[in-house]
Amino acid sequence: MEKVSTLFKWCFLGYLAILPMSDTIALRNLLLLVLVCIVLACLVLAPKRSKRPLSNGFRLVPWILALWALYLFVFPLFAVQADVAWQNLKGQWIESLLAWLVGFGAVMLLGRQGPNLWALALASAFPLAIHLSLCLFGWVGLLGEDYQSLDTLGGIWHAFSRQLHTGFEAVGKWRDFPLGFRGIEPMHGNLGYAACQAIALFGVCFFLAWRERNQRKLYLATLAIAICFSSILIARSRGAVLFALLVLLVTGAVYRFRWSPVSMMDSGMKKTGPLSIKWSIGVIGALCMLILVAYQSVRHDTRWHSMMDKVQLGLFLEKPLDILCEGLPLEVESRIRDELADHGPDYIDDVLGGLKGQDGGRLLLMRAGLGLVFEHPNGLDGSRQSYQKLMENKCGHTPRLHFAHSHQSWIDLSLALGWGGVLLFAGVMFYFMRQGWHSMENSNFVAFGTALFLLSAFWITRGMVDSVYREHYLQMQAVLLAYAYWRIQLAKGDKTSNVSTVN
């Protein structure tokens, strides 16, 4: 049983590590299958080996989560496109439910020997470590001259092999720092979601170390947060940078106003005095490195400079649906150019280009998508293409400004699963956020409670500006929220057992 637990633990961390990464579908599905098989085998064949009684564990399954799972199975029966709905149930929705099972099973099988917050944070940061390593290798010449065009592990390996055969002649010929480099990720969002998740967990680790005055862990958490930020700054993921900063601010506010000083003292934590100069210098050095990278990224990324004008266009242009279907009318474009005449032509072109795929375009999508939501209360087919199909039907042809989704998860989810589906999913996310919030009241649960609150709040708010309730992102949310929630329930059960034993 010990070997099975060890295998499960490493597969669990490996699964968590590769979830955000591109081109890992086969490995991801294999690890999910292995984890599910281990959970089912242990719970069915050896239930007494569980760290908690199975009856207690299943009794603690939130009713809203059970209702959400039931809805997913029932929805295809009344979906507008039932055949597509069944296909998606067998795909992304079943996979997300299995991820919930894996998070639950990890606590039932491993108990307190399961991964701690540090292990979860390091696993979440794995894609960022890959990205920064490739960035460094390319910068110093290990991947050749055209390394920024490499976007697969196979291509990177071939480039490295070529350099190996030529004796690494390019090594030492420093190039311009590769701002905008994304490594093997075609979408910077894959790095951004992993970074925000890791920063939330490292943030909790930071404040735990601060509370305990553990200088080594404090330094390591600070360095880890700085590294995560460096990755998304290099990749020029503006949304990730903004949300990562928001996550850190909320974490600091939670520590300041929610963690009870009295309960912390009662938990037996020792304070060893102020931080030494050596560790303080290390922390300041990591922050200075982060500020330098942030300055360079913002200075070279023109999207930051024109963001407000793009947002204003997206919010206030009339008839967003007509613009998406037929394109921006010439008279409207002329009026915009006149209003921005004080800026250079490149700036004006950049602002107008923002309607085709950046800030302005996303707001047009959301406004048009909201109208579709009211027109289709029962959803369509449970797929990620629901918005695209409904827009093509609304326009009568492929829209001139063509997008695969609305870049707003709640709209996409409503169009896919109807009002009932989006309300149930919102109930699930807010339930876990509320559980995390209340768990901070007790020092025994404060760490995982804070993690549960932060992760739930992050995915709720991130869904308002991007489409993240789909595919492997659903699994990212499910496996960590389930694990954190049931770790809290495990701690509460242990506390109750101890109290009853004493009494």
Side-chain angles (χ1 to χ4, degrees):
M1 187 64 183
E2 188 64 30
K3 292 182 179 179
V4 174
S5 297
T6 302
L7 173 64
F8 183 89
K9 182 176 181 179
W10 284 107
C11 286
F12 181 84
L13 291 174
Y15 173 66
L16 181 60
I18 67 166
L19 267 177
M21 296 178 64
S22 300
D23 299 323
T24 60
I25 296 176
L27 180 57
R28 184 166 68 228
N29 290 340
L30 176 62
L31 287 174
L32 179 60
L33 177 62
V34 170
L35 290 167
V36 169
C37 289
I38 293 176
V39 169
L40 293 178
C42 291
L43 296 185
V44 174
L45 301 178
K48 293 183 179 180
R49 300 295 185 108
S50 174
K51 299 296 182 180
R52 299 294 302 168
L54 290 185
S55 57
N56 291 348
F58 286 117
R59 207 164 29 238
L60 292 171
V61 174
W63 65 269
I64 189 68
L65 180 60
L67 196 57
W68 162 249
L70 178 63
Y71 183 86
L72 291 177
F73 283 97
V74 172
F75 174 76
L77 298 177
F78 60 85
V80 176
Q81 297 183 3
D83 54 339
V84 180
W86 284 115
Q87 292 174 7
N88 279 273
L89 173 63
K90 292 184 289 185
Q92 63 176 352
W93 300 117
I94 285 288
E95 290 172 353
S96 70
L97 294 178
L98 293 177
W100 284 105
L101 175 64
V102 167
F104 166 78
V107 176
M108 292 294 104
L109 299 182
L110 302 176
R112 291 185 175 274
Q113 282 69 51
N116 59 17
L117 288 178
W118 277 98
L120 298 176
L122 290 170
S124 298
F126 179 73
L128 312 177
I130 296 293
H131 170 242
L132 290 176
S133 298
L134 295 176
C135 181
L136 179 61
F137 292 161
W139 190 29
V140 302
L142 289 174
L143 301 178
E145 296 292 338
D146 300 326
Y147 72 96
Q148 293 209 47
S149 63
L150 303 173
D151 57 2
T152 64
L153 286 174
I156 288 171
W157 174 251
H158 288 308
F160 180 79
S161 300
R162 287 196 300 269
Q163 293 299 305
L164 182 65
H165 285 102
T166 58
F168 295 109
E169 294 178 359
V171 174
K173 298 178 182 179
W174 294 85
R175 296 152 182 77
D176 292 336
F177 193 78
L179 288 172
F181 178 67
R182 297 174 184 172
I184 62 173
E185 296 298 339
M187 292 176 51
H188 59 78
N190 288 337
L191 294 171
Y193 304 137
C196 290
Q197 184 170 277
I199 286 171
L201 295 170
F202 280 126
V204 180
C205 293
F206 174 89
F207 285 109
L208 282 174
W210 184 282
R211 185 188 72 183
E212 300 169 7
R213 295 296 189 266
N214 188 319
Q215 299 179 9
R216 179 173 174 272
K217 288 185 177 181
L218 184 65
Y219 172 74
L220 291 176
T222 304
L223 181 62
I225 291 172
I227 289 173
C228 292
F229 263 109
S230 298
S231 175
I232 53 180
L233 285 166
I234 291 170
R236 290 180 174 172
S237 180
R238 291 177 304 152
V241 171
L242 293 173
F243 272 90
L245 288 172
L246 182 61
V247 164
L248 278 183
L249 288 174
V250 173
T251 308
V254 165
Y255 173 77
R256 173 64 180 83
F257 299 107
R258 192 62 179 164
W259 289 27
S260 169
V262 175
S263 65
M264 300 309 161
M265 293 176 63
D266 291 343
S267 67
M269 294 298 176
K270 296 180 180 180
K271 294 188 176 182
T272 58
L275 299 178
S276 67
I277 295 178
K278 178 183 71 173
W279 294 105
S280 298
I281 291 175
V283 170
I284 293 172
L287 293 175
C288 289
M289 177 190 74
L290 176 61
I291 292 171
L292 177 62
V293 175
Y295 170 75
Q296 292 295 328
S297 177
V298 173
R299 187 166 70 93
H300 289 91
D301 191 346
T302 57
R303 294 176 302 167
W304 290 100
H305 311 152
S306 57
M307 183 168 65
M308 291 307 300
D309 284 323
K310 294 173 184 175
V311 168
Q312 288 181 355
L313 281 182
L315 283 175
F316 298 114
L317 280 177
E318 297 178 354
K319 300 180 179 179
L321 184 64
D322 292 344
I323 293 175
L324 290 171
C325 289
E326 309 299 338
L328 188 66
L330 291 178
E331 60 272 17
V332 177
E333 180 177 338
S334 298
R335 188 178 76 243
I336 294 171
R337 289 186 179 276
D338 292 339
E339 293 174 354
L340 299 176
D342 294 340
H343 299 277
D346 291 341
Y347 180 89
I348 297 174
D349 290 339
D350 182 51
V351 171
L352 290 172
L355 292 175
K356 299 179 181 179
Q358 295 179 17
D359 308 298
R362 292 191 176 197
L363 288 168
L364 289 177
L365 286 169
M366 294 177 193
R367 292 169 62 195
L370 193 59
L372 293 176
V373 167
F374 286 105
E375 294 176 10
H376 300 275
N378 294 325
L380 183 65
D381 59 6
S383 76
R384 60 179 182 173
Q385 291 89 16
S386 297
Y387 174 87
Q388 181 179 338
K389 292 177 181 179
L390 291 171
M391 276 297 295
E392 290 176 354
N393 182 64
K394 188 75 173 179
C395 296
H397 55 79
T398 300
R400 186 75 176 270
L401 299 181
H402 184 62
F403 294 87
H405 50 78
S406 72
H407 286 278
Q408 217 277 10
S409 296
W410 298 104
I411 290 176
D412 283 339
L413 192 63
S414 180
L415 295 177
L417 296 175
W419 294 1
V422 76
L423 288 174
L424 282 173
F425 187 79
V428 170
M429 299 300 283
F430 279 103
Y431 175 86
F432 283 102
M433 187 174 74
R434 181 174 176 271
Q435 289 297 309
W437 178 261
H438 288 300
S439 297
M440 295 182 221
E441 297 173 350
N442 190 300
S443 61
N444 294 315
F445 326 133
V446 69
F448 274 100
T450 305
L452 181 61
F453 172 78
L454 291 175
L455 292 172
S456 302
F458 164 71
W459 286 112
I460 289 170
T461 53
R462 195 70 177 96
M464 295 178 181
V465 294
D466 214 341
S467 189
V468 294
Y469 304 147
R470 56 170 61 209
E471 300 166 325
H472 58 287
Y473 302 133
L474 286 168
Q475 297 177 54
M476 287 176 66
Q477 298 152 32
V479 71
L480 267 185
L481 295 183
Y483 183 77
Y485 172 77
W486 269 286
R487 274 296 295 259
I488 295 169
Q489 304 311 311
L490 175 68
K492 288 181 178 179
D494 290 343
K495 183 180 178 184
T496 303
S497 299
N498 291 338
V499 170
S500 61
T501 301
V502 172
N503 292 339

